[in-house]
Amino acid sequence: MTTATKRIILFPQDKGGIGKSFVATLLHDFLIDEGVRVKAFDLDHANSTFQRFVPEAEFIDTDIDADKLGVLDRIVHVLPETDVVLVDNRATGGSKVLAYLDETRLPELQAEFDCVLVFVVIATDDKDANSQIAELLDTHRERVSWLVVRNLRDGDSLSLFAQSNSRKRLADLGAVEVDVPCLAEVTRNRLQDTNLTVGRGRTAAPLHLLDRSRCVRFHTRMAVEFSKARALLVP
């Protein structure tokens, strides 16, 4: 594994509703527990879902023309003051982020910035989401590092992804694969109502004891899962 001391973690898929923001909150919880300095950004101008759960996240409006993508320089400018930059993307916003990476040649500048650029891709049995993973692989391959998050909210088997050529290509690139299990709908809804991450929900008084207990169990499970990718995520 690289000896770089910084990480920039991005969610490059355009597909909405596949769990990008939820996974971003789980990652934020994990990184905080690991004791690293995290600077978080939310690029969703319409909903700011991530910022609702992680209020310390800074908002960057990417609903802009292509010649104004310099606003994303902020995610690089903060590298000297943090260990990990965590960027939650908005639905249909992946193309803007990818255009920014091409414009700045950031993948080619990782060594100069002493950082690793990590693409987090959400694996589901949604054909569009899987097609976007294939397109990302076509353009970025070994230019970035890869974390595959299998979203198991609808069941333990992701047959389309499991049988896909993309999964094999990701494995060949050394991608780390982790699972996000299903969280009880009632607890998920209460976390949304109170704008709490799973980690913060473990001790949140507004939640019922049963919901706090589910959060404890889920958080522990995710610590185990993300620990599989510790070398990729934690400098």
Side-chain angles (χ1 to χ4, degrees):
M1 180 56 64
T2 178
T3 57
T5 62
K6 308 286 183 177
R7 300 288 187 272
I8 298 177
I9 302 175
L10 302 172
F11 292 75
Q13 285 161 288
D14 265 335
K15 179 68 177 179
I18 58 175
K20 292 192 295 292
S21 293
F22 183 57
V23 172
T25 65
L26 296 174
L27 266 174
H28 190 269
D29 283 342
F30 172 75
L31 293 167
I32 294 298
D33 284 354
E34 287 291 311
V36 301
R37 297 175 300 167
V38 183
K39 179 61 180 179
F41 292 95
D42 188 339
L43 309 187
D44 186 352
H45 74 283
N47 299 305
S48 295
T49 303
F50 182 55
Q51 193 180 50
R52 284 196 295 109
F53 290 94
V54 182
E56 57 267 41
E58 182 178 327
F59 175 66
I60 299 178
D61 188 356
T62 55
D63 188 23
I64 51 177
D65 295 333
D67 64 341
K68 295 181 175 61
L69 288 175
V71 296
L72 289 171
D73 285 355
R74 177 69 178 146
I75 68 176
V76 178
H77 289 166
V78 299
L79 282 173
E81 61 195 59
T82 194
D83 301 313
V84 177
V85 178
L86 178 62
V87 184
D88 182 38
N89 198 10
R90 64 187 178 95
T92 72
S95 58
K96 292 283 183 69
V97 171
L98 295 176
Y100 174 77
L101 296 182
D102 287 339
E103 175 202 11
T104 60
R105 298 180 56 256
L106 185 55
E108 286 70 43
L109 297 176
Q110 292 175 81
E112 283 82 352
F113 285 117
D114 191 25
C115 75
V116 175
L117 185 58
V118 180
F119 274 12
V120 180
V121 291
I122 311 298
T124 69
D125 266 351
D126 182 282
K127 291 182 179 179
D128 290 339
N130 288 332
S131 295
Q132 288 175 8
I133 293 175
E135 292 169 1
L136 289 165
L137 284 165
D138 287 342
T139 55
H140 284 85
R141 294 181 292 275
E142 69 281 352
R143 298 175 71 211
V144 301
S145 298
W146 299 85
L147 174 63
V148 181
V149 177
R150 299 191 335 129
N151 188 343
L152 303 180
R153 66 187 179 190
D154 297 321
D156 293 336
S157 175
L158 300 179
S159 56
L160 288 179
F161 177 72
Q163 300 166 17
S164 68
N165 187 51
S166 292
R167 191 182 192 191
K168 181 180 184 303
R169 294 171 67 190
L170 285 162
D172 290 343
L173 288 168
V176 182
E177 191 171 291
V178 303
D179 289 345
V180 172
C182 180
L183 177 63
E185 182 180 17
V186 61
T187 299
R188 188 169 65 245
N189 289 340
R190 286 170 180 159
L191 288 171
Q192 291 174 350
D193 290 342
T194 51
N195 296 330
L196 291 168
T197 68
V198 170
R200 291 167 177 170
R202 293 173 296 167
T203 57
L207 295 185
H208 191 280
L209 177 58
L210 291 176
D211 296 308
R212 297 201 302 269
S213 181
R214 290 189 184 106
C215 287
V216 168
R217 182 177 182 274
F218 196 91
H219 184 82
T220 300
R221 169 70 185 276
M222 289 315 307
V224 172
E225 289 296 318
F226 285 134
S227 290
K228 300 173 185 176
R230 179 178 281 110
L232 179 63
L233 299 171
V234 179

